[in-house]
Amino acid sequence: MSGVVWLALDGVGHPLDAPAGSVWAQSLPTLRPLVDAGRVLDATLGVPGLPQSGTGQSCWLTGRDAVRVMGEHFGPHPGPTLQALLREEALPVRLVRAGRRVALANEYVPAYFQALEVGAGRRNRMGCFPFSVRAAGAPLNPGGLPLVGATLGMSFERPWREVSALDSLNRAGEALSSAAGELDLLMLDLWFGDLLGHAGEPDVPVDALRAGRAYLRRVDALLTGVVAGGARVVVSSDHGNLENLNTKSHTRARVPFAGVGVDLGGAETVVEAGVVLSSWFGV
């Protein structure tokens, strides 16, 4: 299978496990029907504590139970143990070894690379998706591809504002769909949902709820463009957070696994979904 666009949400639990009035309580004409028709996955894997991005994303990328490998939920960034797992078994690494084509469509600003240089030799500050792409020998900010910022046209800090029109994301999605025709896998690491989720409080902040809903609308607009462009697409999430803004921590909510033009199989956990995803490419 080729030409798959992977929209990897970060910290967005399934609407079935969201409280009333959540970020999901709005019109999302492409995203919501797709999620409702997809799989509902366990991200806890029977381990106490709150799921984290490091182990959760490693499960998706490798099809291995990274929580068992670590002995606990761990994140946000992969440490030495998860780095070793990703270098050997991450899907981008396996695809490149098999002579396949893979890219990460995130746009990284100069400050990101400067931070990596400053932190060189210290604890890794790179998320699982960029780490895996680099481990595969592929570049960040690859030339010749439409690159998309993970904020999807929202300002990074409070007050969160929408600084680009929704139709620009429709066009970005169509461009991603077109680019995927030249690749086997085109990924987008949408980590901004988790950042917004950490703004939660017992008395839900109005601005965080507004921003969270705006972000999902922007995911919906991007997804609409990808689907309109005819690419196969998969939507995933690593753990819950944004769906419940009554807390600033992660949650034990189940997570979505949805797609167009792909067979989701019978996956019930993020590990099983990682195996299904890899199977599409025969690796």
Side-chain angles (χ1 to χ4, degrees):
M1 178 181 293
S2 63
V4 176
V5 177
W6 183 1
L7 303 183
L9 301 175
D10 188 336
V12 183
H14 198 280
L16 288 178
D17 289 348
S22 77
V23 294
W24 285 108
Q26 60 175 322
S27 176
L28 300 165
T30 303
L31 178 62
R32 185 60 189 268
L34 192 68
V35 167
D36 287 345
R39 305 294 299 174
V40 186
L41 304 181
D42 170 52
T44 68
L45 303 175
V47 176
L50 298 175
Q52 302 293 327
S53 295
T55 41
Q57 292 174 12
S58 293
C59 290
W60 278 104
L61 284 160
T62 67
R64 288 277 305 279
D65 189 339
V67 179
R68 291 297 192 283
V69 170
M70 282 296 300
E72 62 179 344
H73 297 290
F74 181 86
H77 308 109
T81 301
L82 292 180
Q83 289 175 37
L85 176 64
L86 293 169
R87 285 192 187 99
E88 186 62 28
E89 299 189 41
L91 182 57
V93 172
R94 286 177 284 153
L95 285 172
V96 169
R97 283 179 186 158
R100 313 291 279 277
R101 301 155 299 174
V102 62
L104 184 63
N106 284 64
E107 180 177 21
Y108 293 97
V109 298
Y112 177 82
F113 296 102
Q114 292 167 5
L116 292 181
E117 291 176 4
V118 170
R122 306 174 188 173
R123 181 178 175 180
N124 171 59
R125 297 295 179 184
M126 194 181 300
C128 291
F129 282 89
F131 184 90
S132 296
V133 167
R134 277 195 163 181
L140 302 184
N141 285 357
L145 287 179
L147 301 180
V148 181
T151 67
L152 299 184
M154 295 184 66
S155 56
F156 180 73
E157 297 177 328
R158 270 185 163 121
W160 300 289
R161 294 190 178 95
E162 298 180 74
V163 296
S164 68
L166 280 179
D167 61 2
S168 68
L169 287 166
N170 290 145
R171 293 192 296 272
E174 291 176 357
L176 288 175
S177 182
S178 177
E182 303 298 321
L183 298 163
D184 293 279
L185 177 64
L186 181 59
M187 304 178 293
L188 190 59
D189 178 18
L190 295 173
W191 48 259
F192 194 58
D194 189 55
L195 185 146
L196 292 173
H198 284 300
E201 297 286 352
D203 185 9
V204 176
V206 173
D207 63 340
L209 180 60
R210 184 188 306 115
R213 286 178 173 169
Y215 188 66
L216 284 194
R217 288 195 299 272
R218 302 183 82 78
V219 172
D220 182 79
L222 181 72
L223 176 62
T224 298
V226 175
V227 172
R232 299 179 180 94
V233 61
V234 58
V235 177
S236 69
S237 183
D238 52 358
H239 57 76
N241 186 357
L242 182 62
E243 85 292 342
N244 187 351
L245 287 169
N246 292 294
T247 174
K248 63 171 29 179
S249 68
H250 293 178
T251 71
R252 294 176 65 84
R254 293 169 295 174
V255 297
F257 178 34
V260 174
V262 292
D263 182 0
L264 302 178
E268 296 184 352
T269 71
V270 292
V271 176
E272 293 171 359
V275 173
V276 169
L277 203 157
S278 295
S279 74
W280 299 339
F281 306 95
V283 296

